[in-house]
Amino acid sequence: MNSFPNPVIFDQVSAPQPPLLLIVLMYLLPLWLWGNLFKFLLFWTPFDEMSRESLKCNQVIFFIVQTLLIFGVVLFSSIRYQFALWKPPAVKHSAWLVFLAAFPALLYYVFRAVWLFVILAKAASIPNAQIYQIHYALWSDLPYGASLEGVFFSSIMLIFGPVFEEIIFTGFLLNFFLKRYNLLSAIVSIPILFTVAHIPQQGLGVHLISIFVSGLAFVFVRLVSGKLSYSVMCHMFINVIFSFSAMD
């Protein structure tokens, strides 16, 4: 009979872990600290003037630096704390259990994608201005905006960002709650933290329910499979569905 959580989880939790302050710093560095530093630089007149003259160039610089910071966090975490995240090999569980853990989130986003495609199909017969409004509504809340470059950069982040987010939330923070408290607190706390972390970017609304359900699914996928990589793949798949369904 399959045990829950996967026995390998206890080996990963007992491995060396980064302190909580370092986990928070690793999350904030590429997202909030770099973003706020970039905004602070706008108060410097030469930088502000350059920004106004070459907005696209600044957007590219911001994206490249943020991507390098995320890559640095992923690389550092994977090397320094590999036994807390990726090793040892997980005890095999039934594939249907892993799928069942991710099914609620996957089902929601598949239906959302179908719903968006129906809306865009109906929008084909309306004026271009309204189609643009639909496009803007779908992409404007994402980090890089609704421009062509913004859609391209956001699409890359939607595909590769899950590695970073899963290392922080379903990896280190899940380990932290399992080690300090208990299984139930970890299952409840991680989706809540995952949801709260998205509020500054996406605001308050019913969409937070889907984010919470997704975070819960990623937690169960790791706990059932013992593999953080499965949570990453599930997160990537959901983001790909969102990305393609949001393109008009």
Side-chain angles (χ1 to χ4, degrees), residues 25-36:
L25 180 62
M26 286 191 294
Y27 179 73
L28 294 179
L29 178 60
L31 299 182
W32 311 119
L33 296 181
W34 167 236
N36 288 327

Side-chain angles (χ1 to χ4, degrees), residues 26-236:
M26 286 191 294
Y27 179 73
L28 294 179
L29 178 60
L31 299 182
W32 311 119
L33 296 181
W34 167 236
N36 288 327
L37 175 61
F38 196 85
K39 292 177 182 179
F40 180 77
L41 288 174
L42 292 175
F43 289 101
W44 184 34
T45 303
F47 186 83
D48 181 57
E49 292 177 351
M50 183 183 69
S51 299
R52 295 175 185 277
E53 295 174 359
S54 183
L55 182 61
K56 290 183 179 181
C57 180
N58 277 0
Q59 193 175 41
V60 170
I61 293 173
F62 182 86
F63 171 76
I64 291 175
V65 174
Q66 187 175 65
T67 303
L68 290 175
L69 289 172
I70 289 175
F71 178 77
V73 169
V74 170
L75 188 63
F76 168 77
S77 301
S78 298
I79 294 175
R80 178 67 177 83
Y81 301 102
Q82 56 178 309
F83 287 97
L85 299 172
W86 313 109
K87 295 181 178 182
V91 177
K92 289 186 178 180
H93 272 48
S94 300
W96 70 268
L97 284 175
V98 179
F99 176 78
L100 186 63
F103 183 73
L106 293 175
L107 185 65
Y108 169 80
Y109 281 95
V110 167
F111 274 111
R112 186 180 188 279
V114 172
W115 174 71
L116 286 172
F117 278 126
V118 170
I119 290 179
L120 292 175
K122 292 180 179 179
S125 60
I126 64 178
N128 289 334
Q130 295 186 35
I131 295 177
Y132 172 79
Q133 291 171 1
I134 294 173
H135 168 88
Y136 183 82
L138 291 171
W139 288 99
S140 60
D141 289 336
L142 293 179
Y144 294 97
S147 66
L148 180 60
E149 297 80 9
V151 170
F152 176 74
F153 295 152
S154 293
S155 297
I156 293 176
M157 282 298 182
L158 285 172
I159 295 173
F160 295 106
V163 184
F164 168 76
E165 288 189 323
E166 292 308 305
I167 283 177
I168 298 296
F169 291 97
T170 317
F172 290 139
L173 287 177
L174 180 61
N175 290 352
F176 174 84
F177 277 92
L178 287 173
K179 189 172 186 176
R180 294 291 186 92
Y181 304 103
N182 53 52
L183 180 62
L184 181 60
S185 69
I187 293 175
V188 173
S189 300
I190 300 308
I192 291 176
L193 291 174
F194 183 72
T195 303
V196 170
H198 285 78
I199 292 177
Q201 181 61 46
Q202 300 188 21
L204 297 172
V206 295
H207 62 279
L208 294 178
I209 297 176
S210 65
I211 295 176
F212 177 84
V213 172
S214 298
L216 188 63
F218 303 149
V219 166
F220 271 101
V221 166
R222 185 188 173 205
L223 291 176
V224 170
S225 67
K227 292 186 176 182
L228 182 62
S229 58
Y230 282 9
S231 297
V232 171
M233 287 187 287
C234 179
H235 196 157
M236 282 183 175

